[in-house]
């Protein structure tokens, strides 16, 4: 019965190539973690710090090359990508759950007193104000029209209803990713893939680049992404001399996984006019030889990376990349995306074009990147015309600013062991000017803050703008918040009505680097999820794709609970939350961060029917198994957009269900 009905169900599909990538990517990091055993990460070789050639190394219990081969065998593909009641009560206070809409206001007319979609016989976690669990839901026009028992909902089934028999499986609201950059999805499709699991060392990257150079006409660029020294054999950062012998007549630019480092060859540096006399740009660092002052080929932070003018992706590549990443997220159970790094007219236009086509598959909110007063002036001047290109699928929500860079250049009060602690990407006065300008637009502002001083100067800017032009319920946002904020700073966050949007999985992938850079004491309240929740500060969770090896919400949830680093260190254990809290933050909490908690983020009457059917019971599964859960069925606005091939969940037409 299921096979015949499935042929009739229209699912959003991908090319065979993309499906293969998805499968390998989904398995790669989970397989990697399983294969690690007692393998320990060398603390001194993580990408977000200045690494000395004399850094202490650690013996391996498992060879990296052996791992790479094991991953290839495991995935069968050549591509490997990658407490208590009081606490819960406090969490429910911020952000508030939506008041349940009266059923009579949303029930369809009697002539349509049947459902287009029903889910029956399940454990449906609603994430409403009571954290209710129900058996079944009915959906019409993409919204919940009835919530209750399977017996109650079964009466809304007719021959045309799509019936999902959950057979006892657990369902949650769709996850909302509060911070990612799917506009960068094109790199995963069109550039050299240098991510962990794909390469094991500098020499392996050089081999891939050499092969690409041989396929590329002289003078044309070779571009790659995703390198991550934390998982290399090498005990140093890369430099131009690694690339020069194999690329004498082609410029090469390789972006690291975090997006804050560029690795170039000498050809690219010459084209950019970068030499020993080139000053560091504001907020950036040109890494140099300590003896000659000559550039090493490593560029740190965006302003330094942008000195090298690389070819831009085409409109088609941008659109295909967005669709690719959006489809990937829906396969992981994400039903809402916030891309808060939309830089430049080309990417903005690509999003507008996709919106006109009813794409991407996962509804997306975008925030436009502003780097200067001139950027802000130009963006505000064009705002009215820009807004016309957005609509139901892609919404323009606001602005993005960056006050500091990655961890190695975090703007902090006290020195750290990175490149610099005192070079903000925007100086405090310029930041105040820009925030004031953008605040007047009525849209949200997201600000990237890693260091404690970066946080405080951002709070100064927000406070000045709000004093100048008071505005209720603005929900301006603080992105990341890595170095422990002071209690005074958090009180200001609360008083100013700000949202903390953070990414807990970085505690695993970057936590050991952070410990080396900042020390354990300065990280006790880093990513302060629990403290913020207890204070009534809204918190949202996201992945920061593509800046993390594993961008699944399962990994984010697991990390919010365990706060465990790759080396097994527990970073700020008092900031841990339980699974109910973590799920709330990643659903309605993230919806709240985009002014969307009235329409999504929980299973309540009148809200958008965004749902995920999981392979396991998220509330009862052992914590260490949470990151291994699979999204077996993903539903967005009442439409099935993903169904795994091995699920036992039955999806059938009403006529088939009623006759069975």
């Amino acid at each position: 019965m299921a096979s015949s009905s499935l042929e009739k169900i229209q699912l959003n599909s991908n090319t065979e190539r993309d499906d293969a990538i998805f499968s390998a990517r989904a398995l790669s990091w989970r397989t990697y973690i399983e294969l690690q055993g007692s393998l320990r990460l060398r603390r001194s070789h993580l990408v977000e710090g200045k690494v000395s050639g004399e850094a202490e190394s650690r013996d391996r219990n498992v060879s990296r090359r052996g791992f790479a081969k094991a991953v290839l065998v495991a995935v069968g593909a050549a591509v490997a990508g990658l407490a208590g009641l009081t606490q819960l009560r406090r969490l429910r206070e911020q952000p508030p759950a939506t008041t349940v809409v009266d059923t009579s206001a949303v029930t369809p007319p009697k002539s349509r007193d049947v459902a287009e979609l029903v889910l029956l016989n399940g454990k449906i976690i609603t994430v409403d104000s009571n954290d209710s669990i129900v058996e079944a839901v009915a959906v019409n026009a993409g919204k919940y029209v009835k919530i209750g028992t399977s017996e109650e909902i079964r009466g809304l089934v007719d021959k045309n209803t799509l019936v999902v028999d959950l057979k006892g499986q657990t369902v949650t609201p769709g996850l909302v990713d509060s911070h990612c950059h799917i506009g960068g999805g094109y790199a995963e499709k069109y550039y050299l893939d240098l991510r962990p699991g794909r390469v094991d060392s500098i020499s392996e990257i050089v081999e891939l680049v050499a092969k690409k150079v041989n396929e590329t006409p002289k003078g044309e660029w070779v571009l790659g992404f995703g390198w991550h020294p934390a998982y290399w054999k090498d005990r140093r950062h890369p430099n131009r001399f690694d690339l020069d012998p194999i690329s004498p007549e082609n410029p090469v630019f390789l972006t690291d996984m975090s997006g804050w480092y560029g690795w170039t060859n000498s050809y690219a540096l010459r084209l950019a006019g970068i030499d020993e006399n080139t000053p560091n740009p504001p907020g950036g660092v040109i890494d140099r030889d300590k003896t000659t002052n000559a550039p090493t080929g490593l560029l740190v932070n965006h302003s330094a990376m942008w000195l090298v003018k690389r070819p831009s992706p085409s409109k088609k590549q941008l659109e295909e990349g967005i669709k690719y990443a959006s489809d990937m997220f829906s396969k992981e159970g994400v039903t809402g995306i916030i891309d808060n790094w939309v830089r430049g007219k080309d990417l903005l236009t690509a999003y507008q074009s996709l919106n006109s086509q009813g794409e991407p598959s996962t509804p997306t909110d975008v925030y436009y990147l502003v780097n200067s007063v001139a950027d802000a002036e130009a963006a505000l001047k064009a705002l009215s015309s820009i807004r016309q290109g957005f609509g139901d699928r892609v919404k323009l929500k606001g602005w993005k600013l960056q006050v500091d860079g990655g961890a190695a250049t975090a703007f902090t009060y006290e020195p750290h062991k990175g490149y610099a602690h005192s070079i903000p990407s925007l100086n405090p006065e310029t930041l105040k000017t820009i925030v004031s300008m953008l605040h007047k637009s009525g849209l949200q502002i997201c600000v990237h803050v890693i260091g404690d001083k970066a946080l405080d100067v951002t709070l100064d800017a927000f406070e000045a703008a709000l004093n100048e032009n008071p505005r209720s319920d603005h929900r301006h946002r603080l992105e990341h918040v890595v170095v422990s904020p002071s209690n005074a700073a958090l009180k200001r966050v609360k008083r100013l009505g700000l949202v903390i949007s953070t990414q807990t999985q970085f505690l695993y992938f970057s936590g050991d680097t952070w410990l080396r850079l900042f020390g354990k004491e300065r990280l006790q309240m880093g990513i302060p999820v629990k403290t913020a929740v207890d204070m009534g500060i809204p918190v949202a969770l996201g992945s920061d794709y593509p800046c993390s090896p594993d961008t699944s919400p399962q990994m984010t949830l697991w990390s919010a609970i365990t706060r465990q680093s790759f080396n097994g260190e527990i970073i700020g254990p008092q900031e841990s939350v339980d699974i109910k809290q973590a799920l709330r933050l990643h659903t309605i909490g993230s919806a709240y961060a985009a002014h969307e908690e009235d329409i999504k983020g929980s299973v309540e009457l009148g809200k958008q029917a965004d749902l995920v059917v999981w392979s396991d019971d998220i509330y009862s599964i052992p914590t260490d198994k949470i990151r291994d859960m699979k999204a077996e069925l993903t539903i967005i606005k009442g439409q099935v957009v993903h169904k795994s091939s091995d699920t036992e969940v039955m999806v059938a037409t009403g006529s088939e269900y009623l006759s069975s």
Side-chain angles (χ1 to χ4, degrees):
M1 178 175 70
S3 61
S4 62
S5 63
L6 285 176
E7 293 173 359
K8 303 174 185 178
I9 299 170
Q10 185 69 35
L11 300 181
N12 287 353
S13 61
N14 306 286
T15 63
E16 291 182 1
R17 174 184 179 275
D18 283 357
D19 281 339
I21 293 174
F22 291 145
S23 299
R25 194 178 194 281
L27 286 171
S28 61
W29 269 99
R30 296 184 181 118
T31 305
Y32 182 90
I33 291 167
E34 291 169 2
L35 291 170
Q36 291 306 299
S38 59
L39 181 64
R40 308 295 285 174
L41 179 66
R42 293 187 302 271
R43 297 172 187 262
S44 57
H45 312 320
L46 291 173
V47 65
E48 291 193 41
K50 197 169 186 177
V51 179
S52 165
E54 299 177 354
E56 181 182 354
S57 65
R58 227 179 251 277
D59 291 338
R60 296 167 174 265
N61 296 324
V62 180
S63 78
R64 295 293 183 182
R65 187 175 296 276
F67 152 68
K69 292 178 180 177
V71 168
L72 293 177
V73 172
V75 303
V79 180
L82 35 130
L85 293 176
T86 300
Q87 297 169 358
L88 183 57
R89 176 184 60 78
R90 289 170 177 165
L91 177 63
R92 289 171 182 154
E93 293 174 354
Q94 284 289 341
T98 307
T99 302
V100 176
V101 182
D102 186 87
T103 307
S104 62
V106 294
T107 302
K110 189 170 183 62
S111 62
R112 291 204 57 210
D113 216 5
V114 295
E116 296 171 357
L117 169 71
V118 299
L119 281 74
L120 306 171
N121 306 317
K123 177 181 179 178
I124 302 176
I125 299 169
T126 65
V127 195
D128 65 7
S129 59
N130 297 313
D131 205 29
S132 306
I133 296 176
V134 300
E135 289 183 336
V137 297
V139 176
N140 262 330
K143 297 181 179 181
Y144 301 111
V145 295
K146 196 170 184 63
I147 299 169
T149 66
S150 295
E151 184 177 355
E152 292 170 333
I153 303 302
R154 199 173 287 117
L156 300 179
V157 175
D158 78 352
K159 64 179 183 179
N160 297 314
T161 303
L162 187 64
V163 179
V164 178
D165 187 347
L166 297 167
K167 298 183 178 181
Q169 286 190 229
T170 298
V171 180
T172 69
L175 284 297
V176 179
D177 193 304
S178 72
H179 181 114
C180 66
H181 316 294
I182 65 171
Y186 64 88
E188 197 165 333
K189 286 177 66 69
Y190 299 108
Y191 291 0
L192 281 176
D193 186 351
L194 310 176
R195 289 173 296 179
R198 172 72 169 165
V199 295
D200 195 25
S201 63
I202 291 174
S203 62
E204 290 183 2
I205 291 178
V206 170
E207 288 177 13
L208 288 176
V209 173
K211 180 179 179 181
K212 188 65 176 179
V213 167
N214 290 334
E215 301 169 353
T216 305
K218 293 180 180 179
E220 292 191 8
W221 285 83
V222 172
L223 303 172
F225 89 104
W227 54 273
H228 198 44
Y231 307 99
W232 290 352
K233 300 172 183 177
D234 309 275
R235 297 180 295 171
R236 63 175 176 86
H237 269 316
N239 59 58
R240 61 190 172 99
F241 303 109
D242 298 311
L243 299 173
D244 286 350
I246 51 93
S247 58
E249 298 180 288
N250 293 86
V252 177
F253 194 100
L254 311 175
T255 305
D256 86 309
M257 178 170 284
S258 77
W260 290 100
Y261 292 78
W263 170 18
T264 71
N265 66 350
S266 295
Y267 194 122
L269 292 175
R270 286 196 302 271
L271 287 180
I274 299 174
D275 58 24
E276 63 273 15
N277 299 312
T278 305
N280 286 333
V285 176
I286 301 171
D287 190 55
R288 304 172 191 274
D289 183 277
K290 292 182 178 179
T291 302
T292 66
N293 207 44
T296 65
L298 194 63
L299 304 173
V300 186
N301 283 2
H302 296 156
S303 59
M305 296 164 68
W306 292 338
L307 294 174
V308 179
K309 307 301 181 186
R310 292 151 277 160
S312 300
S314 67
K315 179 175 179 291
K316 180 181 178 181
Q317 288 177 329
L318 287 170
E319 291 184 12
E320 290 299 317
I322 292 168
K323 289 193 292 184
Y324 163 80
S326 180
D327 291 346
M328 178 186 69
F329 270 98
S330 68
K331 288 175 180 286
E332 294 283 7
V334 173
T335 59
I337 289 172
I338 297 173
D339 185 339
N340 55 10
W341 204 88
V342 177
R343 177 176 180 249
K345 182 180 178 181
D346 290 349
L347 185 51
L348 203 61
T349 301
Y351 266 123
Q352 291 172 323
S353 175
L354 288 173
N355 180 72
S356 69
Q357 303 168 40
E359 293 278 1
S361 60
T362 309
T364 302
D365 297 332
V366 300
Y367 292 73
Y368 188 76
L369 182 69
V370 171
N371 289 301
S372 65
V373 172
D375 277 357
E377 290 173 341
L380 289 168
K381 185 177 180 180
L383 181 57
S384 60
S385 61
I386 290 173
R387 275 176 158 164
Q388 296 175 12
F390 294 98
D392 182 60
R393 212 65 187 177
V394 183
K395 298 176 182 177
L396 178 64
K397 284 287 185 172
W399 316 100
K400 174 69 177 293
L401 302 173
Q402 297 176 153
V403 178
D404 54 1
T409 54
F411 188 33
T412 57
Y413 287 104
E414 299 296 328
H416 52 69
K417 295 181 180 180
Y419 277 91
H421 79 286
S422 58
I423 53 169
S425 300
L426 291 170
N427 72 61
E429 290 308 311
T430 300
L431 177 65
K432 280 186 179 180
T433 299
I434 296 173
V435 168
S436 175
M437 295 168 64
L438 300 179
H439 173 69
K440 294 172 186 175
S441 72
L443 300 179
Q444 275 182 291
I445 304 171
C446 302
V447 184
H448 166 111
V449 291
I450 300 294
D452 50 359
K453 192 169 184 178
L455 173 60
D456 285 352
V457 299
T458 300
L459 296 178
D460 291 342
F462 278 136
E463 186 153 26
L466 287 164
N467 286 339
E468 181 185 7
N469 289 283
R471 193 174 114 205
S472 62
D473 204 28
H474 52 80
R475 303 189 199 179
H476 295 321
R477 299 165 39 147
L478 302 163
E479 310 293 327
H480 309 303
V481 192
V482 171
V483 177
S484 295
S486 66
N487 286 325
L490 287 176
K491 288 178 181 178
R492 291 181 73 192
V493 172
K494 167 70 172 176
R495 176 169 56 81
L496 294 172
L498 305 176
V499 176
I500 292 177
S501 168
T502 193
Q503 304 76 42
T504 54
Q505 80 282 1
F506 280 127
L507 292 163
Y508 183 80
F509 293 112
S510 299
D512 296 300
T513 302
W514 296 350
L515 287 168
R516 179 175 58 79
L517 291 175
F518 306 116
K520 181 171 286 191
E521 186 62 32
R522 294 169 76 180
L523 292 172
Q524 284 305 298
M525 286 176 60
I527 306 187
V529 176
K530 177 66 166 56
T531 296
V533 165
D534 286 349
M535 292 177 66
I537 298 170
V539 177
L541 297 180
S543 68
D544 208 359
Y545 168 87
C547 304
S548 172
D550 188 332
T551 57
S552 69
Q554 300 92 305
M555 187 69 188
T556 300
L557 295 170
W558 176 83
S559 295
I561 300 165
T562 66
R563 296 183 66 89
Q564 179 179 310
S565 76
F566 186 90
N567 271 350
E569 297 283 346
I570 306 302
I571 302 173
Q574 73 277 7
E575 296 301 332
S576 170
V577 294
D578 63 24
I579 183 57
K580 291 185 178 181
Q581 294 170 314
L583 178 63
R584 181 172 293 274
L585 298 179
H586 213 338
T587 51
I588 198 168
S590 292
Y592 179 91
H595 286 98
E596 293 180 339
E597 78 281 6
D598 286 338
I599 63 172
K600 63 172 63 171
S602 62
V603 179
E604 300 182 78
L605 289 173
K607 280 194 174 185
Q608 197 167 286
D610 298 339
L611 295 160
V612 187
V613 181
W614 296 102
S615 58
D616 301 274
D617 183 348
I618 194 170
Y619 277 3
S620 64
I621 190 175
T623 297
D624 272 349
K625 298 295 184 182
I626 289 174
R627 59 184 173 182
D628 299 321
M629 295 190 312
K630 302 294 190 298
E632 296 194 355
L633 201 72
T634 306
I635 297 170
I636 298 178
K637 294 184 179 181
Q639 300 295 313
V640 178
V641 298
H642 160 67
K643 184 178 186 296
S644 66
S645 59
D646 56 354
T647 184
E648 294 183 1
V649 170
M650 185 191 78
V651 182
T653 63
S655 58
E656 290 174 320
Y657 176 79
L658 293 169
S659 64
S660 63

